[in-house]
Amino acid sequence: MASRLRPPRLLRTLLAALVAASVAVPVAGAARPAAVPAPAPAALAPLRDATASALTARYAANREGIRAAERTAARHGDRARAAALRAMTAPARRFLTFDGRGGGRTAEVFGDLARAGRIAVLVPGSDTSLDRYERLWAGAEALHQRLGDRAAVIAWLGYETPGTLSADVVTPARADAAGPQLRRFIEELRTARPSAHLAVLCHSYGSVVCGRAAPGLAVDDLVLYGSPGVGVDSAAALHTRARVWAGRGGSDWVAHVPHGRLELPFGTLGLGADPVAPAFGARVFPAGGGGHSAYLSPGSLSLANLARIVAGQAPVEEGRRAA
């Protein structure tokens, strides 16, 4: 059922956003790096074994795939993509999955996945790709540093993210395709590490992906932050046994996004109810005063509380931040 906001006003606002995004697409697209050819990834078995030896072999296979993609990018003349891929081949980098085609697909591990008692999976939002990977990497690293060695963080770039200035960002279409992929990844991870506490942290449009994957998802915590909506009108409608959390920074522009959904002949417009609204029913955690891209910034209240949720601790208010 669609959100019970005023349909005419919501329709005008969302259609205006759609038109504006459609006009902006050619400009934004011209500014983004072009798709770079890459070889098909090696066929790896589904993740079932998370012992140290099995993971070492998997990391090595994906490192070879990244090197092959780097060579292809260099031959293509894309120095920026080649440099980004070269950095990913460093011995300390560990990838469960890698596909260099198009914008890229990865699942990078921070920490010791074989021994971690708690695992956080980061699902990023719009404008994330191999060419714009630094923010996701830095956020995952910051979260792992905050959690410590007994936890692992996985940066999951497993779908084609929409552009922030695009028509795709105001519809759930990309999430419809990505949700099953995230569900499969979590199922494999749960099989490999059945006793670990598993949390999925979903930022921005990534929370729409998490909403599509949520029904029956075998995780302990589902955390939505900087979310424009998750495609449903309540936490109960996610049909998950996980604890559902939501947070928004005080300077996050996503607070001004119109909430609701409209079914139109060409598809669904809008991303559902506001996850931090009381009526949604999530456990709202303090996220400080930061902006849309600052949730995983070192020293921030939002990072501290995201880490506390993953660690099974209660979030804290501003002024009572734990060291």
Side-chain angles (χ1 to χ4, degrees):
M1 183 177 68
S3 177
R4 293 188 180 182
L5 298 178
R6 289 188 238 171
R9 179 180 178 185
L10 179 63
L11 178 60
R12 288 195 300 270
T13 304
L14 288 173
L15 286 176
L18 182 61
V19 170
S22 299
V23 171
V25 165
V27 177
R32 300 179 74 186
V36 180
L44 298 177
L47 178 65
R48 294 287 186 267
D49 186 351
T51 60
S53 59
L55 289 174
T56 297
R58 194 177 188 92
Y59 297 153
N62 282 311
R63 186 172 293 111
E64 287 306 309
I66 297 170
R67 287 180 177 139
E70 177 201 346
R71 292 191 293 269
T72 303
R75 287 195 298 268
H76 184 69
D78 194 310
R79 296 180 180 177
R81 172 68 68 90
L85 293 170
R86 192 175 308 115
M88 289 180 173
T89 64
R93 306 286 290 271
R94 290 161 290 191
F95 289 86
L96 289 173
T97 63
F98 175 81
D99 186 344
R101 294 172 295 183
R105 306 283 191 279
T106 67
E108 183 173 7
V109 177
F110 298 73
D112 187 349
L113 184 60
R115 301 178 62 185
R118 293 181 178 271
I119 302 170
V121 177
L122 296 183
V123 181
S126 59
D127 284 327
T128 308
S129 66
L130 292 179
D131 300 302
R132 297 183 176 184
Y133 189 77
E134 295 83 1
R135 184 174 293 161
L136 177 59
W137 182 91
E141 176 68 15
L143 180 61
H144 180 247
Q145 289 293 325
R146 183 83 194 191
L147 286 166
D149 293 336
R150 295 183 179 180
V153 176
I154 300 174
W156 184 81
L157 176 57
Y159 75 108
E160 183 182 3
T161 66
T164 300
L165 295 176
S166 74
D168 291 325
V169 82
V170 294
T171 79
R174 293 284 178 94
D176 290 341
Q181 298 173 54
L182 176 60
R183 188 181 295 113
R184 283 193 296 272
F185 179 78
I186 295 298
E187 287 172 352
E188 292 182 18
L189 185 59
R190 179 57 81 189
T191 298
R193 293 301 321 276
S195 63
H197 181 103
L198 186 55
V200 179
L201 278 55
C202 319
H203 177 238
S204 192
Y205 192 87
S207 63
V208 192
V209 176
C210 290
R212 287 295 189 260
L217 199 64
V219 298
D220 301 286
D221 292 286
L222 185 66
V223 190
L224 317 168
Y225 58 105
S227 173
V230 292
V232 297
D233 297 327
S234 69
L238 291 170
H239 301 293
T240 176
R241 290 181 293 178
R243 289 176 291 270
V244 179
W245 302 84
R248 178 179 298 144
S251 300
D252 191 341
W253 55 261
V254 84
H256 305 293
V257 170
H259 294 283
R261 288 175 297 133
L262 292 169
E263 300 299 331
L264 298 173
F266 58 83
T268 301
L269 187 60
L271 302 175
D274 185 353
V276 301
F280 187 82
R283 304 179 184 207
V284 178
F285 66 92
H292 191 64
S293 299
Y295 288 93
L296 295 173
S297 295
S300 65
L301 178 64
S302 52
L303 175 62
N305 277 335
L306 288 168
R308 290 181 69 85
I309 291 169
V310 174
Q313 302 170 347
V316 297
E317 299 286 344
E318 184 70 66
R320 299 180 57 198
R321 199 175 314 176

